[in-house]
Amino acid sequence: MNWDWNQLLQWPTVETPMDIWLTQLFIIVLCTVSINFILMRIIDVAERLIGKTETLWDDALLEAARIPVRLVFWVIGLSVSMELLQAVSAEENALFEFVPQARRIAFIIIIAMFLSRFISYTEKNLIDPGRMRKPMDQSTAAAIAKLLRVSVVITSLLIILQTMGYSISGVLAFGGIGGMAVAFAAKDLLANFFGGMMVYLDKPFRVGDWVRSPDRSIEGSVEDIGWRLTRIRTFDQRPLYIPNAMFTSIVLENPSRMYNRRINEKIGIRYDDWQKMPGIVADVRTMLVEHEDLETENRTLIVNFDSYGASHLEFFIYTFTKTTQWVQYHEIKQDVLMKIMNIVHEHGAEFAFPTRTLHLISQNDDAPATGLEDNNPEEAQHVQR
């Protein structure tokens, strides 16, 4: 087959032989694939070079552009191929008329994808302690990123509508007129949206915090803060999905932000050991002050004889641990209670347990009646239990 190689450099027409324009089509597809392969290698090399820098923006920019840049060349290659097929087609095809419009829409979508990915990777870098000396709060970063992504999507949709021939001003006017109806119909959705916004702005809790509400049966760790729902994982591993509007009307406690945990215990010793109470109290106070895991300088410390119990003398301890970790707190509390037991034992005292003494007398005794006169005389004994 004799070819005129100059024809490969000319844009084909209806009269162009099939083998010529098929070769041109193959070259276009080959160039598209080759360019994408080269771009992948270039991006990999650039990633290794940028990874050595401390700037977070270049990393986010490169990762965001990895797929959109390749898609741009695919769109160019496919649209050129379609135009080539249109040039050699002997019949008019309505499908080819939409190629320019489809290309513009594709470019708009690719740009929106790039911006959305850039926002996501920037959000990830801003909360990464390995990249930021002062990482941004995760909830705040997520809220800003969501707002920016919504703005990108809405703007892209409006531009696409304008590209397709629809009037943006008309769409906006319709949105303004129908906004009141939509707001009334979706008042709960809007209430949850603004409730989520208040959570992001006021920051009563963040992802990972332990929260609970005395008003409702809510207690667990925050897993996700969305625009409509907040997901809380209870301690028995069940998920709670709570509408954000609820947080504007309930009392919420955030134990994760406590500075210390409190130890507040009452301890009773026998009445027979009353003379040993001052020494026990003094030694317990000294032990608490010297305990390395207790915060006694900046927090209240109380160790005092407190009350007369039914069968014991009661003193109490009131102190705080340095840690707020639940498991470690109980280990420290156990150590404190065990040391108190040792102190009581060293003073020769004993812990009290419920006792009652009954004095029973017979009817022949010259003593006031006890209300047991009808009992068997054999019960007139000293009984202690």
Side-chain angles (χ1 to χ4, degrees):
M1 180 181 299
N2 295 325
W3 276 7
D4 185 0
W5 295 96
N6 292 327
Q7 288 183 318
L8 292 175
L9 303 177
Q10 299 176 1
W11 189 252
T13 61
V14 178
E15 291 80 13
T16 302
M18 180 180 294
D19 52 353
I20 297 294
W21 65 261
L22 282 176
T23 303
Q24 291 175 327
L25 182 62
F26 174 77
I27 293 174
I28 293 173
V29 174
L30 179 62
C31 290
T32 303
V33 174
S34 301
I35 291 174
N36 273 271
F37 179 79
I38 295 171
L39 280 174
M40 290 175 60
R41 303 284 77 79
I42 293 175
I43 291 175
D44 291 339
V45 173
E47 183 179 10
R48 287 194 293 269
L49 295 176
I50 291 176
K52 300 178 181 179
T53 64
E54 298 181 356
T55 307
L56 58 89
W57 302 106
D58 52 4
D59 295 343
L61 186 64
L62 180 63
E63 291 297 329
R66 181 183 293 273
I67 295 178
V69 168
R70 295 169 57 190
L71 289 178
V72 167
F73 285 96
W74 275 111
V75 170
I76 294 175
L78 291 176
S79 61
V80 172
S81 300
M82 293 296 294
E83 290 178 358
L84 186 145
L85 293 176
Q86 182 182 10
V88 300
S89 178
E91 298 179 358
E92 292 292 334
N93 193 331
L95 180 63
F96 294 123
E97 297 178 1
F98 295 99
V99 171
Q101 188 179 55
R103 182 170 58 242
R104 288 193 293 270
I105 293 175
F107 283 142
I108 295 171
I109 294 175
I110 291 172
I111 293 173
M113 178 189 296
F114 166 74
L115 294 176
S116 179
R117 287 168 59 86
F118 180 71
I119 293 169
S120 298
Y121 283 110
T122 302
E123 173 194 359
K124 181 179 178 180
N125 290 339
L126 288 174
I127 62 176
D128 186 2
R131 294 181 176 273
M132 300 289 293
R133 287 180 296 178
K134 295 182 179 180
M136 182 180 290
D137 176 64
Q138 185 175 357
S139 300
T140 303
I144 297 175
K146 288 178 181 178
L147 284 174
L148 293 176
R149 280 194 290 266
V150 169
S151 301
V152 170
V153 171
I154 293 176
T155 304
S156 302
L157 290 176
L158 292 176
I159 296 175
I160 289 174
L161 290 175
Q162 183 71 28
T163 302
M164 296 175 64
Y166 296 96
S167 174
I168 295 181
S169 58
V171 173
L172 295 176
F174 174 77
I177 295 173
M180 295 180 61
V182 172
F184 181 78
K187 59 180 181 180
D188 292 337
L189 181 63
L190 292 176
N192 291 327
F193 174 81
F194 287 108
M197 183 176 294
M198 295 307 298
V199 170
Y200 283 121
L201 294 177
D202 294 340
K203 301 178 183 178
F205 54 83
R206 298 180 296 180
V207 173
D209 282 357
W210 163 28
V211 297
R212 65 184 176 189
S213 172
D215 299 341
R216 302 293 182 94
S217 299
I218 299 173
E219 184 172 10
S221 300
V222 180
E223 284 192 341
D224 180 67
I225 304 173
W227 285 115
R228 193 179 72 87
L229 294 173
T230 293
R231 186 174 71 251
I232 295 178
R233 182 74 58 174
T234 63
F235 295 130
D236 57 359
Q237 299 305 305
R238 292 180 299 170
L240 287 179
Y241 298 93
I242 304 172
N244 290 330
M246 184 179 295
F247 294 119
T248 61
S249 58
I250 66 173
V251 176
L252 196 69
E253 180 183 351
N254 191 341
S256 298
R257 297 181 182 176
M258 66 174 68
Y259 297 113
N260 308 92
R261 286 189 180 273
R262 183 181 63 178
I263 298 177
N264 184 14
E265 294 292 331
K266 295 183 178 181
I267 300 154
I269 62 174
R270 301 179 308 169
Y271 272 92
D272 294 341
D273 299 324
W274 68 270
Q275 293 179 330
K276 302 171 185 177
M277 176 68 78
I280 293 173
V281 169
D283 287 351
V284 170
R285 180 182 290 108
T286 301
M287 180 271 294
L288 296 178
V289 171
E290 295 176 352
H291 202 292
E292 60 181 7
D293 294 319
L294 298 180
E295 180 57 68
T296 57
E297 295 183 1
N298 301 316
R299 293 288 179 266
T300 303
L301 171 64
I302 304 176
V303 185
N304 285 105
F305 172 43
D306 187 43
S307 65
Y308 297 100
S311 58
H312 63 275
L313 299 174
E314 189 174 88
F315 71 96
F316 78 103
I317 63 170
Y318 186 94
T319 186
F320 292 86
T321 63
K322 294 180 180 179
T323 182
T324 59
Q325 298 297 322
W326 181 246
V327 176
Q328 188 176 359
Y329 159 77
H330 281 286
E331 293 176 353
I332 296 172
K333 183 177 178 181
Q334 172 182 292
D335 181 65
V336 169
L337 295 179
M338 292 297 296
K339 288 182 177 179
I340 292 175
M341 293 180 67
N342 289 331
I343 292 173
V344 172
H345 179 71
E346 289 172 357
H347 280 266
E350 295 182 11
F351 288 96
F353 54 88
T355 61
R356 179 178 296 176
T357 301
L358 299 179
H359 295 278
L360 304 179
I361 62 175
S362 66
Q363 294 180 352
N364 296 327
D365 292 339
D366 295 332
T370 62
L372 300 175
E373 291 82 3
D374 295 334
N375 290 346
N376 192 318
E378 295 179 357
E379 296 180 358
Q381 304 174 18
H382 177 272
V383 180
Q384 181 176 6
R385 61 181 179 87

